[in-house]
Short mmCIF file of all heavy atoms in Angstrom, two decimals:
data_model
loop_
_atom_site.label_atom_id
_atom_site.label_comp_id
_atom_site.label_asym_id
_atom_site.label_seq_id
_atom_site.Cartn_x
_atom_site.Cartn_y
_atom_site.Cartn_z
N GLY H 90 227.09 213.52 129.65
CA GLY H 90 225.97 214.16 128.94
C GLY H 90 225.12 215.01 129.86
O GLY H 90 223.99 214.67 130.19
N THR H 91 225.67 216.16 130.29
CA THR H 91 224.93 217.06 131.20
C THR H 91 223.64 217.54 130.54
O THR H 91 222.61 217.64 131.21
CB THR H 91 225.79 218.30 131.55
OG1 THR H 91 227.11 217.89 131.87
CG2 THR H 91 225.19 219.10 132.69
N GLY H 92 223.71 217.86 129.26
CA GLY H 92 222.53 218.36 128.53
C GLY H 92 221.90 219.55 129.23
O GLY H 92 222.56 220.56 129.48
N SER H 93 220.64 219.41 129.62
CA SER H 93 219.91 220.49 130.29
C SER H 93 220.32 220.64 131.75
O SER H 93 220.01 221.65 132.38
CB SER H 93 218.41 220.20 130.24
OG SER H 93 218.13 219.06 131.04
N GLY H 94 220.94 219.60 132.31
CA GLY H 94 221.27 219.63 133.74
C GLY H 94 220.18 219.03 134.61
O GLY H 94 220.30 219.00 135.84
N TYR H 95 219.12 218.52 133.99
CA TYR H 95 218.00 217.97 134.77
C TYR H 95 218.40 216.70 135.51
O TYR H 95 218.25 216.61 136.73
CB TYR H 95 216.78 217.73 133.86
CG TYR H 95 215.64 217.06 134.59
CD1 TYR H 95 214.96 217.73 135.61
CD2 TYR H 95 215.26 215.75 134.30
CE1 TYR H 95 213.93 217.11 136.31
CE2 TYR H 95 214.23 215.13 134.98
CZ TYR H 95 213.57 215.81 135.98
OH TYR H 95 212.56 215.20 136.67
N GLN H 96 218.94 215.73 134.77
CA GLN H 96 219.37 214.48 135.42
C GLN H 96 220.44 214.76 136.48
O GLN H 96 220.42 214.19 137.56
CB GLN H 96 219.89 213.50 134.35
CG GLN H 96 220.60 212.28 134.88
CD GLN H 96 219.68 211.21 135.43
OE1 GLN H 96 219.04 210.48 134.68
NE2 GLN H 96 219.62 211.09 136.75
N THR H 97 221.35 215.68 136.16
CA THR H 97 222.41 216.07 137.11
C THR H 97 221.78 216.55 138.41
O THR H 97 222.24 216.21 139.51
CB THR H 97 223.25 217.24 136.51
OG1 THR H 97 223.53 216.96 135.15
CG2 THR H 97 224.52 217.46 137.28
N SER H 98 220.73 217.36 138.30
CA SER H 98 220.07 217.92 139.48
C SER H 98 219.38 216.83 140.29
O SER H 98 219.42 216.85 141.53
CB SER H 98 219.03 218.97 139.05
OG SER H 98 219.66 219.97 138.30
N VAL H 99 218.76 215.87 139.59
CA VAL H 99 218.10 214.76 140.31
C VAL H 99 219.16 213.96 141.08
O VAL H 99 218.96 213.62 142.25
CB VAL H 99 217.30 213.86 139.32
CG1 VAL H 99 216.79 212.61 140.01
CG2 VAL H 99 216.12 214.65 138.71
N LEU H 100 220.30 213.71 140.44
CA LEU H 100 221.38 213.00 141.13
C LEU H 100 221.84 213.77 142.37
O LEU H 100 222.00 213.21 143.44
CB LEU H 100 222.58 212.79 140.18
CG LEU H 100 222.38 211.85 139.00
CD1 LEU H 100 223.59 211.89 138.07
CD2 LEU H 100 222.14 210.42 139.46
N SER H 101 222.03 215.07 142.19
CA SER H 101 222.48 215.91 143.30
C SER H 101 221.49 215.85 144.46
O SER H 101 221.88 215.76 145.63
CB SER H 101 222.67 217.34 142.80
OG SER H 101 223.07 218.17 143.84
N ARG H 102 220.20 215.85 144.14
CA ARG H 102 219.15 215.78 145.17
C ARG H 102 219.10 214.42 145.87
O ARG H 102 218.47 214.27 146.91
CB ARG H 102 217.78 216.08 144.56
CG ARG H 102 217.59 217.52 144.17
CD ARG H 102 217.37 218.40 145.40
NE ARG H 102 216.85 219.70 145.02
CZ ARG H 102 217.42 220.86 145.31
NH1 ARG H 102 218.54 220.89 146.02
NH2 ARG H 102 216.87 221.98 144.94
N MET H 103 219.75 213.42 145.27
CA MET H 103 219.84 212.10 145.92
C MET H 103 220.95 212.09 146.98
O MET H 103 221.21 211.07 147.61
CB MET H 103 220.15 211.00 144.90
CG MET H 103 219.11 210.77 143.84
SD MET H 103 217.65 209.87 144.42
CE MET H 103 218.30 208.26 144.83
N GLY H 104 221.66 213.21 147.10
CA GLY H 104 222.67 213.33 148.15
C GLY H 104 224.03 212.78 147.76
O GLY H 104 224.86 212.49 148.62
N VAL H 105 224.26 212.62 146.44
CA VAL H 105 225.57 212.13 146.01
C VAL H 105 226.41 213.29 145.49
O VAL H 105 225.90 214.39 145.24
CB VAL H 105 225.43 211.04 144.90
CG1 VAL H 105 224.67 209.85 145.43
CG2 VAL H 105 224.76 211.59 143.64
N LYS H 106 227.72 213.04 145.34
CA LYS H 106 228.61 214.06 144.81
C LYS H 106 228.70 213.84 143.29
O LYS H 106 229.18 212.79 142.85
CB LYS H 106 229.99 213.89 145.47
CG LYS H 106 230.93 214.98 145.11
CD LYS H 106 232.08 215.09 146.08
CE LYS H 106 232.77 216.40 145.78
NZ LYS H 106 234.13 216.47 146.18
N VAL H 107 228.19 214.81 142.53
CA VAL H 107 228.07 214.60 141.08
C VAL H 107 229.14 215.33 140.28
O VAL H 107 229.41 216.52 140.51
CB VAL H 107 226.71 215.13 140.55
CG1 VAL H 107 226.46 214.65 139.13
CG2 VAL H 107 225.57 214.72 141.45
N TYR H 108 229.71 214.61 139.31
CA TYR H 108 230.57 215.20 138.28
C TYR H 108 229.86 214.92 136.97
O TYR H 108 229.43 213.79 136.73
CB TYR H 108 231.94 214.53 138.26
CG TYR H 108 232.74 214.78 139.52
CD1 TYR H 108 232.51 214.02 140.67
CD2 TYR H 108 233.69 215.79 139.57
CE1 TYR H 108 233.21 214.27 141.84
CE2 TYR H 108 234.40 216.04 140.73
CZ TYR H 108 234.15 215.28 141.86
OH TYR H 108 234.85 215.53 143.01
N SER H 109 229.70 215.94 136.12
CA SER H 109 228.99 215.70 134.87
C SER H 109 229.73 216.36 133.71
O SER H 109 230.11 217.53 133.79
CB SER H 109 227.55 216.25 134.98
OG SER H 109 226.84 215.97 133.79
N ILE H 110 229.92 215.59 132.64
CA ILE H 110 230.67 216.09 131.48
C ILE H 110 229.73 216.34 130.30
O ILE H 110 228.85 215.51 130.02
CB ILE H 110 231.74 215.06 131.01
CG1 ILE H 110 232.59 214.60 132.20
CG2 ILE H 110 232.63 215.64 129.91
CD1 ILE H 110 233.64 213.54 131.83
N GLU H 111 229.90 217.47 129.62
CA GLU H 111 229.12 217.78 128.41
C GLU H 111 230.09 218.23 127.33
O GLU H 111 230.99 219.01 127.57
CB GLU H 111 228.09 218.88 128.74
CG GLU H 111 227.33 219.42 127.55
CD GLU H 111 226.59 218.37 126.74
OE1 GLU H 111 225.81 217.60 127.30
OE2 GLU H 111 226.85 218.31 125.51
N ARG H 112 229.87 217.73 126.09
CA ARG H 112 230.79 218.07 125.00
C ARG H 112 230.36 219.32 124.24
O ARG H 112 231.10 219.82 123.40
CB ARG H 112 230.95 216.89 124.05
CG ARG H 112 229.75 216.63 123.16
CD ARG H 112 229.95 215.39 122.32
NE ARG H 112 230.78 215.61 121.16
CZ ARG H 112 230.36 216.12 120.00
NH1 ARG H 112 229.11 216.48 119.86
NH2 ARG H 112 231.18 216.26 119.00
N GLN H 113 229.13 219.80 124.47
CA GLN H 113 228.67 221.00 123.76
C GLN H 113 228.78 222.20 124.71
O GLN H 113 228.09 222.27 125.73
CB GLN H 113 227.22 220.84 123.33
CG GLN H 113 227.04 219.68 122.39
CD GLN H 113 226.29 220.05 121.14
OE1 GLN H 113 226.38 221.20 120.69
NE2 GLN H 113 225.55 219.12 120.60
N LYS H 114 229.61 223.16 124.30
CA LYS H 114 229.92 224.30 125.16
C LYS H 114 228.65 225.06 125.55
O LYS H 114 228.48 225.46 126.70
CB LYS H 114 230.92 225.20 124.42
CG LYS H 114 231.44 226.36 125.23
CD LYS H 114 232.53 225.90 126.20
CE LYS H 114 233.32 227.04 126.81
NZ LYS H 114 232.58 227.90 127.69
N LEU H 115 227.79 225.26 124.57
CA LEU H 115 226.56 226.03 124.80
C LEU H 115 225.72 225.42 125.92
O LEU H 115 225.24 226.12 126.83
CB LEU H 115 225.76 226.04 123.49
CG LEU H 115 224.60 226.99 123.44
CD1 LEU H 115 225.08 228.39 123.11
CD2 LEU H 115 223.58 226.53 122.37
N LEU H 116 225.54 224.09 125.88
CA LEU H 116 224.74 223.41 126.88
C LEU H 116 225.45 223.40 128.23
O LEU H 116 224.83 223.58 129.28
CB LEU H 116 224.44 221.97 126.44
CG LEU H 116 223.55 221.82 125.20
CD1 LEU H 116 223.44 220.36 124.79
CD2 LEU H 116 222.18 222.41 125.45
N HIS H 117 226.77 223.22 128.20
CA HIS H 117 227.55 223.25 129.44
C HIS H 117 227.38 224.61 130.13
O HIS H 117 227.06 224.67 131.33
CB HIS H 117 229.03 222.99 129.13
CG HIS H 117 229.95 223.37 130.24
ND1 HIS H 117 230.12 222.60 131.36
CD2 HIS H 117 230.72 224.48 130.43
CE1 HIS H 117 230.95 223.21 132.18
NE2 HIS H 117 231.34 224.34 131.64
N ASP H 118 227.55 225.68 129.37
CA ASP H 118 227.47 227.03 129.95
C ASP H 118 226.07 227.29 130.52
O ASP H 118 225.91 227.84 131.60
CB ASP H 118 227.78 228.09 128.89
CG ASP H 118 229.25 228.08 128.51
OD1 ASP H 118 230.05 227.48 129.25
OD2 ASP H 118 229.60 228.68 127.46
N LYS H 119 225.05 226.88 129.74
CA LYS H 119 223.66 227.14 130.12
C LYS H 119 223.31 226.39 131.42
O LYS H 119 222.73 226.96 132.35
CB LYS H 119 222.75 226.66 128.98
CG LYS H 119 221.47 227.43 128.86
CD LYS H 119 220.76 227.03 127.58
CE LYS H 119 219.26 227.22 127.73
NZ LYS H 119 218.52 226.74 126.57
N SER H 120 223.67 225.12 131.50
CA SER H 120 223.30 224.35 132.70
C SER H 120 224.13 224.79 133.90
O SER H 120 223.63 224.77 135.02
CB SER H 120 223.39 222.85 132.47
OG SER H 120 224.56 222.51 131.83
N LYS H 121 225.33 225.25 133.65
CA LYS H 121 226.16 225.73 134.76
C LYS H 121 225.49 226.94 135.43
O LYS H 121 225.40 227.02 136.66
CB LYS H 121 227.55 226.10 134.24
CG LYS H 121 228.54 226.29 135.35
CD LYS H 121 229.96 226.15 134.88
CE LYS H 121 230.87 226.16 136.09
NZ LYS H 121 232.13 225.54 135.91
N MET H 122 224.99 227.83 134.59
CA MET H 122 224.33 229.03 135.11
C MET H 122 223.05 228.67 135.85
O MET H 122 222.76 229.18 136.93
CB MET H 122 223.98 229.97 133.95
CG MET H 122 224.73 231.28 134.03
SD MET H 122 224.66 232.17 132.48
CE MET H 122 222.91 232.29 132.15
N LEU H 123 222.26 227.77 135.24
CA LEU H 123 220.97 227.39 135.82
C LEU H 123 221.15 226.70 137.17
O LEU H 123 220.46 227.04 138.15
CB LEU H 123 220.22 226.48 134.85
CG LEU H 123 218.85 225.98 135.31
CD1 LEU H 123 217.90 227.14 135.57
CD2 LEU H 123 218.24 225.04 134.28
N LEU H 124 222.07 225.75 137.26
CA LEU H 124 222.26 225.03 138.52
C LEU H 124 222.74 225.97 139.62
O LEU H 124 222.35 225.82 140.78
CB LEU H 124 223.23 223.86 138.34
CG LEU H 124 222.55 222.52 138.08
CD1 LEU H 124 221.69 222.51 136.87
CD2 LEU H 124 223.55 221.38 138.04
N LYS H 125 223.54 226.95 139.23
CA LYS H 125 224.01 227.93 140.21
C LYS H 125 222.81 228.72 140.75
O LYS H 125 222.66 228.91 141.95
CB LYS H 125 225.03 228.86 139.54
CG LYS H 125 225.82 229.65 140.54
CD LYS H 125 226.94 230.41 139.89
CE LYS H 125 227.48 231.41 140.91
NZ LYS H 125 228.11 232.55 140.27
N GLU H 126 221.96 229.14 139.81
CA GLU H 126 220.76 229.90 140.17
C GLU H 126 219.84 229.10 141.10
O GLU H 126 219.21 229.64 141.99
CB GLU H 126 219.98 230.23 138.89
CG GLU H 126 219.78 231.71 138.64
CD GLU H 126 219.00 231.93 137.36
OE1 GLU H 126 219.37 231.32 136.33
OE2 GLU H 126 218.03 232.69 137.39
N LEU H 127 219.75 227.78 140.84
CA LEU H 127 218.87 226.92 141.62
C LEU H 127 219.52 226.48 142.94
O LEU H 127 218.87 225.86 143.77
CB LEU H 127 218.52 225.66 140.81
CG LEU H 127 217.63 225.85 139.59
CD1 LEU H 127 217.55 224.56 138.78
CD2 LEU H 127 216.23 226.27 140.02
N GLY H 128 220.80 226.78 143.09
CA GLY H 128 221.50 226.37 144.32
C GLY H 128 221.75 224.87 144.37
O GLY H 128 221.81 224.29 145.45
N ILE H 129 221.85 224.24 143.19
CA ILE H 129 222.10 222.80 143.14
C ILE H 129 223.59 222.56 142.94
O ILE H 129 224.21 223.11 142.03
CB ILE H 129 221.28 222.14 142.01
CG1 ILE H 129 219.80 222.18 142.41
CG2 ILE H 129 221.74 220.71 141.74
CD1 ILE H 129 218.85 221.73 141.34
#
Side-chain angles (χ1 to χ4, degrees):
T91 314
S93 67
Y95 175 67
Q96 169 77 76
T97 316
S98 303
V99 172
L100 292 173
S101 178
R102 289 285 195 237
M103 296 284 295
V105 299
K106 186 161 193 204
V107 192
Y108 294 81
S109 183
I110 310 178
E111 173 56 54
R112 74 184 281 277
Q113 299 231 31
K114 185 79 166 67
L115 191 81
L116 294 175
H117 164 77
D118 289 345
K119 210 171 152 185
S120 45
K121 194 159 187 157
M122 245 165 55
L123 180 60
L124 264 59
K125 195 172 167 205
E126 239 180 312
L127 291 171
I129 290 173

